[in-house]
Amino acid sequence: MANPIPRNPAASRAANQRGAARLAAVQALYQMDVGLQTLEETLAQFSAVHLKREIEGEEYLPADADFFRQIVSGVIKAQLEVDPAVDAALQDGWPMVRIDATLRAILRAGAFELLRRQDIPARVVITEYVDVAKAFFEDDAWRMVNGVLDAIARKAGRDEPLR
C-alpha cells in the first residue's frame, strides 16, 4: 500500500528532524492502518527507504530515526489509551473509524505525544501536527487536528499557558 504523499512538500521540507520524524510516523501509521502491515515490517521499511528521501523531486531533511520509532511504537503500544482519547475529543457522531485514514494517523500520533511525552510542550506537539495536517490537506482539516489535540491536552492536564 502506498503512503500518502504530502500535497505541499515545501511546507514539510523546512521542518526540523523531529518534524520530519513526525511526518514519516504519520505515513507509517497510515500504512499500518490501511495496508495492515506489522510494526516490525513498517519500521524496517521506513528505516531502509523512507527516513532519508526525496518525494516528487523535493528533498526532505533526514528524520530523527529514534524519535520516529518512539512515535510509531508508542502509538501501537498505547493504542488502548490513545484511540479512546481521540474518540472522546471528536464531535459526537464522528468516531475515529469515520474519519480519513491520514487524519486518523495524525490524531493518533499527536495524542500519543500529548499523553505519553510530558517532556515535549503540548503547544509544540499541537503546532507540529497542525503543520503535518496542512502538508496533507488543502482544506481546513488542520482546524480539526488543532481542536481535537487541544481537547486531549486539556483533558490530560497539559493546558500550558502561552508565552
Side-chain angles (χ1 to χ4, degrees):
M1 179 67 51
N3 292 313
I5 304 290
R7 68 164 185 86
N8 184 356
S12 56
R13 182 180 57 204
N16 60 28
Q17 287 188 324
R18 276 197 163 186
R22 287 180 173 104
L23 180 68
V26 166
Q27 291 175 301
L29 291 167
Y30 169 89
Q31 186 164 317
M32 290 174 70
D33 190 13
V34 174
L36 303 176
Q37 281 190 315
T38 67
L39 176 61
E40 294 77 23
E41 291 170 331
T42 303
L43 291 177
Q45 178 183 6
F46 272 77
S47 293
V49 178
H50 295 287
L51 294 181
K52 295 176 187 161
R53 65 181 176 173
E54 168 183 315
I55 297 178
E56 296 180 355
E58 298 286 338
E59 289 291 329
Y60 284 80
L61 287 173
D64 178 331
D66 183 54
F67 191 61
F68 162 80
R69 281 188 290 280
Q70 288 174 30
I71 295 169
V72 176
S73 298
V75 167
I76 301 307
K77 290 176 185 169
Q79 199 154 6
L80 293 177
E81 177 184 8
V82 169
D83 282 3
V86 173
D87 256 335
L90 288 167
Q91 286 185 334
D92 288 338
W94 283 97
M96 277 184 57
V97 296
R98 285 190 65 188
I99 61 174
D100 175 83
T102 304
L103 272 176
R104 204 167 39 241
I106 293 168
L107 294 172
R108 282 176 169 154
F112 162 73
E113 285 194 56
L114 290 169
L115 296 170
R116 295 290 184 98
R117 293 298 306 259
Q118 302 292 317
D119 58 314
I120 303 170
R123 65 185 172 278
V124 170
V125 172
I126 294 169
T127 299
E128 290 277 330
Y129 285 104
V130 163
D131 288 346
V132 169
K134 287 177 180 178
F136 284 108
F137 298 97
E138 290 184 19
D139 61 13
D140 60 355
W142 68 268
R143 292 180 191 274
M144 184 180 90
V145 171
N146 185 65
V148 169
L149 294 182
D150 183 63
I152 292 169
R154 290 180 189 282
K155 189 167 184 176
R158 302 274 318 265
D159 50 344
E160 302 141 359
L162 293 176
R163 294 181 189 172

